[in-house]
Amino acid sequence: MDVDLPDVLAEVTAQFERYEKALVSNDIAVLDELFRPDKRTLRYGVGENLYGYDEIMAFRAARSPIGLGRTTARTLITTYGRDTAVASTLFYREQLVGKVGRQMQTWVRFPEGWRIVAAHVSIINEPPDQKT
C-alpha cells in the first residue's frame, strides 16, 4: 500500500482546510456536505456522542456560532492508498486557557468526493511538556 501519495495528500489537505474554514465561520452547509450522509457516520464531541448523519446535522444546526474561532497546531494528515486518510490536529481557543483540543477525522473517498466517516474531538489540560 502506498502511504502519502502526493496527489492524494494534496486532495485531503484541501478538504481538511475547507472543513476548518467552514468550522470557524459556522458554514453549516459545507460542514454537512463533508460528513458522509450515512447512519454509520459518527462524531464523538467534547460533550456529545453523535451516531449517524442526522444527529450530526442536528447538532450543527443547534450549536451557537459564537466562540468557534481557533488556531490549529501539529496537524498531521496521512493517506493510505488512494481512498483513505486520517487527519489529526491540535487546536487552541482563546477562551480555553491552559487547555488543548484534539481532533481526529477519518476521511474516505466516495464517488461524490472525500467525506468524513468518523470524527473525535476532545479537550484536555495542556500537558506541560508539550506546549506549542
Side-chain angles (χ1 to χ4, degrees):
M1 173 180 293
D2 293 313
V3 176
D4 287 342
L5 291 165
D7 61 322
V8 179
L9 186 58
E11 290 174 12
V12 178
T13 299
Q15 291 307 307
F16 176 85
E17 290 171 354
R18 186 170 173 235
Y19 175 89
E20 185 64 26
K21 181 179 177 185
L23 182 68
V24 300
S25 66
N26 202 39
D27 188 336
I28 295 171
V30 171
L31 294 171
D32 288 349
E33 173 194 333
L34 292 176
F35 274 82
R36 171 96 169 134
D38 190 284
K39 66 182 181 182
R40 295 164 292 195
T41 299
L42 62 91
R43 180 186 176 277
Y44 293 150
V46 174
E48 65 285 334
N49 298 318
L50 306 172
Y51 286 84
Y53 182 72
D54 292 342
E55 288 185 16
I56 296 166
M57 282 186 10
F59 168 78
R60 293 272 188 229
R63 187 172 71 162
S64 170
I66 298 173
L68 298 178
R70 67 189 198 170
T71 58
T72 58
R74 301 190 71 178
T75 300
L76 177 63
I77 298 171
T78 306
T79 65
Y80 301 93
R82 302 202 69 78
D83 299 317
T84 307
V86 175
S88 306
T89 196
L90 300 177
F91 65 89
Y92 298 88
R93 290 199 163 115
E94 287 183 15
Q95 67 270 35
L96 297 175
V97 177
K99 305 278 188 181
V100 59
R102 304 172 302 173
Q103 174 184 297
M104 293 187 77
Q105 302 166 329
T106 301
W107 292 78
V108 176
R109 182 198 310 265
F110 292 94
E112 63 273 19
W114 286 98
R115 298 295 183 264
I116 300 165
V117 297
H120 188 134
V121 181
S122 59
I123 296 174
I124 62 170
N125 290 329
E126 186 170 25
D129 62 336
Q130 295 183 9
K131 291 188 184 285
T132 57

